[in-house]
């Protein structure tokens, strides 16, 4: 295990619902997720955001700064980046996602299809780390927790000699990631919600 990960808390199954609450709070002002989940109830949002946590617990890694779970970073190998139905079933993540309702889920498939296509195009033929989600609860933002989590992912990337790929929806986040060595790739425009996200990559040092 890397030196940075040794300083973090590795999430367990018992933490999944807490993870969903933290992620839902962290992304409550994110323009894309705010619009996508505008018709969802708060408990549905919490359950939905538990899904990537459960997925990464099975196929990748998910860590928090401490057992308080102030925030989290969750990532998988690039070849596990697509949350297929069978992977969702095997990981148990699909049961959390389904609570958002089939109508919203079907719309999300349309909305996020360009995001998946862009990632496949940019990273075709490459081994990489896909940082699915990184978020810090609003009450803990500005205290360095996001950077602490990101440095751990970067260390893992450097140790493995492979890049990190992620998507983000705000200029503020782009600037933050650029400070850590990420470079902005293509702008990805989502249908239905008419909002953009950007793919970003950080090559291993």
């Amino acid at each position: 295990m890397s030196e940075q990960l040794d300083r973090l808390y590795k999430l367990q199954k018992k933490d999944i619902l807490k993870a969903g609450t933290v992620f839902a709070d962290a992304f409550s002002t994110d323009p894309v997720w705010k619009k996508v989940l505008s018709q969802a109830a708060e408990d549905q949002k919490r359950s939905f955001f538990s899904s990537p946590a459960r997925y990464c617990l099975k196929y990748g890694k998910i860590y928090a700064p401490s057992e308080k779970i102030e925030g989290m970073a969750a990532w998988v190998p690039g070849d596990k980046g697509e949350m297929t139905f069978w992977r969702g079933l095997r990981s148990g993540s699909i049961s959390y996602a389904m609570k958002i309702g089939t109508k919203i889920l079907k719309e999300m498939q349309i909305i996020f299809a360009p995001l998946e296509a862009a990632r496949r195009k940019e990273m075709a033929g490459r081994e990489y780390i896909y940082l699915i989600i990184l978020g810090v609860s609003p009450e803990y933002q500005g205290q360095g927790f996001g950077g602490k989590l990101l440095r751990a992912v970067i260390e893992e990337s450097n140790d493995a000699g492979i890049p990190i790929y992620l998507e983000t929806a705000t200029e503020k986040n782009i600037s933050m990631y650029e400070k850590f060595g990420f470079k902005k790739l293509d702008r990805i425009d989502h249908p239905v919600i008419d909002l953009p996200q950007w793919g970003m990559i950080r090559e291993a040092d």
Side-chain angles (χ1 to χ4, degrees):
M1 186 177 287
S2 73
E3 185 177 325
Q4 294 288 342
L5 288 184
D6 279 340
R7 301 191 184 109
L8 301 177
Y9 172 68
K10 184 179 181 180
L11 266 72
Q12 304 171 47
K13 286 184 180 179
K14 68 180 179 65
D15 301 313
I16 294 301
L17 291 178
K18 170 69 172 178
T21 299
V22 172
F23 278 143
D25 289 343
F27 286 87
S28 61
T29 59
D30 180 273
V32 169
W33 286 111
K34 187 175 181 179
K35 199 159 187 179
V36 168
L37 300 177
S38 61
Q39 303 301 314
E42 292 304 312
D43 62 328
Q44 289 179 305
K45 294 175 186 177
R46 289 192 292 269
S47 180
F48 175 79
F49 276 110
S50 297
S51 179
R54 189 69 185 84
Y55 186 82
C56 290
L57 198 63
K58 169 71 175 177
Y59 290 110
K61 297 180 180 180
I62 178 166
Y63 281 85
S66 75
E67 290 187 45
K68 291 181 180 179
I69 312 184
E70 303 92 338
M72 290 158 292
W75 63 97
V76 294
D79 63 353
K80 296 294 191 299
E82 184 180 356
M83 294 188 198
T84 64
F85 174 80
W86 290 112
R87 287 174 187 163
L89 198 62
R90 289 187 65 194
S91 66
S93 60
I94 196 168
S95 62
Y96 294 102
M98 287 297 293
K99 291 180 182 178
I100 203 72
T102 55
K103 180 181 178 181
I104 297 177
L105 284 176
K106 286 179 180 178
E107 190 173 69
M108 286 173 60
Q109 289 181 330
I110 298 170
I111 292 170
F112 291 109
L115 206 70
E116 180 70 26
R119 181 171 59 83
R120 286 198 301 264
K121 177 184 175 183
E122 292 288 353
M123 305 308 291
R126 301 193 67 182
E127 185 180 356
Y128 64 100
I129 291 170
Y130 181 31
L131 181 54
I132 291 181
I133 187 168
L134 187 155
V136 176
S137 183
E139 64 183 302
Y140 292 110
Q141 290 177 10
Q143 299 179 39
F145 291 118
K148 186 176 182 179
L149 292 165
L150 194 53
R151 280 189 287 272
V153 186
I154 290 171
E155 183 179 71
E156 182 147 312
S157 161
N158 290 339
D159 288 347
I162 58 176
I164 305 167
Y165 183 89
L166 59 84
E167 297 106 3
T168 190
T170 68
E171 294 288 350
K172 180 181 178 182
N173 284 346
I174 289 172
S175 297
M176 184 273 289
Y177 285 121
E178 286 177 338
K179 290 176 182 177
F180 283 88
F182 285 81
K183 293 183 179 179
K184 184 168 62 173
L185 299 173
D186 292 341
R187 168 178 165 142
I188 305 151
D189 291 301
H190 294 297
V192 183
I193 60 172
D194 194 29
L195 286 171
Q197 279 189 278
W198 288 266
M200 300 191 76
I201 190 170
R202 186 190 189 279
E203 299 289 348
D205 293 334

